Amino acid sequence: MPDQTPSPSSPGPAPRRPRADAARNRTRVSDAAVAIFAEKGLDATVADVARRAEVGNATVFRHFPTKADLVSEVAGRWFETWSADVAAYLEHDHDDTLRLLLEELMERFRCDRFALDALWAGDFDDRMREAREQLLARFAVALDRAIGAGLVAPDVTLEDLALLVLGMAGRLSATGDRERDSWQRAGRFAWAAIRPHDSV
């Protein structure tokens, strides 16, 4: 009589890891999207990304099914990179870190049209929201440090700073002004506006 003892069930096939070429293509598309969105902002198209990555549109859609997915990828990377850079500034523990950050931020806005779009956007996915909140929390540390050192008026809030900086940067971007001097001047105005002031 044949042995009817059930044999141990063999484990199912292990999930396949993405092929190396597929992973390379995703990275290439992601890098191309970061570059093209920096140049064109939200006006960038999937076709623009495909041309920059030197792949077909279908390859882009394979990794990022919609333009919204591309936007999320670019915004997530921008927030994460900038947040890490702000953290590096904070490690030096300088009282005027906020002033240096404002200079750097205005330069990034000048060179990257999408950066403003990302910060003004209100429809964030989880990755974008988490990275943005981390970035703002680090800016808040720099602001608190500057206030504590007497470099910034004590009534200035992070919301005040965002309104001031994004407003000026948005205006410069809308006029198409890409002159570095213009953006540096705006950064100096922002710093001057939040400095301690006498009561009126």
Side-chain angles (χ1 to χ4, degrees), residues 9 19-20 25 32 38 69 90 101 105-107 118 135 141 146 153 157 162 173 188 192 197:
S9 58
R19 293 181 309 169
N25 279 342
D69 293 317
L90 291 173
L101 286 174
L105 183 59
M106 295 305 282
E107 178 63 12
L135 171 61
V141 171
T157 67
S173 182
R188 290 194 297 270
H197 47 273

Side-chain angles (χ1 to χ4, degrees), residues 42-90:
L42 288 175
D43 291 335
T45 67
V46 171
D48 292 329
V49 174
R51 279 192 296 271
R52 180 61 59 90
E54 298 181 342
V55 299
N57 286 4
T59 298
V60 177
F61 284 123
R62 188 175 302 120
H63 296 286
F64 303 98
T66 67
K67 182 178 176 179
D69 293 317
L70 270 176
V71 170
S72 174
E73 172 73 5
V74 175
R77 283 184 55 171
W78 190 90
F79 281 128
E80 289 160 1
T81 299
W82 186 212
S83 182
D85 290 345
V86 173
Y89 271 94
L90 291 173

Side-chain angles (χ1 to χ4, degrees), residues 1-189:
M1 184 174 180
D3 183 3
Q4 297 183 0
T5 303
S7 59
S9 58
S10 58
R16 290 192 305 174
R17 299 176 61 181
R19 293 181 309 169
D21 58 341
R24 283 194 298 269
N25 279 342
R26 191 185 196 286
T27 299
R28 178 183 297 176
V29 170
S30 178
D31 290 345
V34 168
I36 206 70
F37 274 85
E39 294 173 12
K40 298 188 174 185
L42 288 175
D43 291 335
T45 67
V46 171
D48 292 329
V49 174
R51 279 192 296 271
R52 180 61 59 90
E54 298 181 342
V55 299
N57 286 4
T59 298
V60 177
F61 284 123
R62 188 175 302 120
H63 296 286
F64 303 98
T66 67
K67 182 178 176 179
D69 293 317
L70 270 176
V71 170
S72 174
E73 172 73 5
V74 175
R77 283 184 55 171
W78 190 90
F79 281 128
E80 289 160 1
T81 299
W82 186 212
S83 182
D85 290 345
V86 173
Y89 271 94
L90 291 173
E91 286 178 1
H92 296 295
D93 199 26
H94 294 158
D95 292 338
D96 67 342
T97 294
L98 182 64
R99 180 183 61 79
L100 300 176
L101 286 174
L102 290 179
E103 292 177 0
E104 175 68 16
L105 183 59
M106 295 305 282
E107 178 63 12
R108 293 192 184 210
F109 284 154
R110 183 181 74 86
C111 299
D112 188 342
R113 289 184 58 187
F114 180 72
L116 274 172
D117 294 330
L119 283 169
W120 276 119
D123 186 16
F124 297 108
D125 62 19
D126 288 343
R127 176 186 177 183
M128 292 167 64
R129 187 179 301 107
E130 180 178 348
R132 181 175 183 269
E133 288 174 355
Q134 184 181 64
L135 171 61
L136 293 178
R138 288 173 175 168
F139 254 95
V141 171
L143 176 60
D144 289 344
R145 186 180 293 173
I147 290 174
L151 299 178
V152 169
D155 59 342
V156 173
T157 67
L158 194 60
E159 290 73 19
D160 295 331
L161 188 61
L163 183 63
L164 179 66
V165 172
L166 295 180
M168 288 195 299
R171 178 58 182 168
L172 283 170
S173 182
T175 61
D177 189 340
R178 293 293 163 193
E179 292 296 324
R180 192 165 187 265
D181 287 347
S182 299
W183 289 78
Q184 288 183 330
R185 186 166 179 261
R188 290 194 297 270
F189 279 156

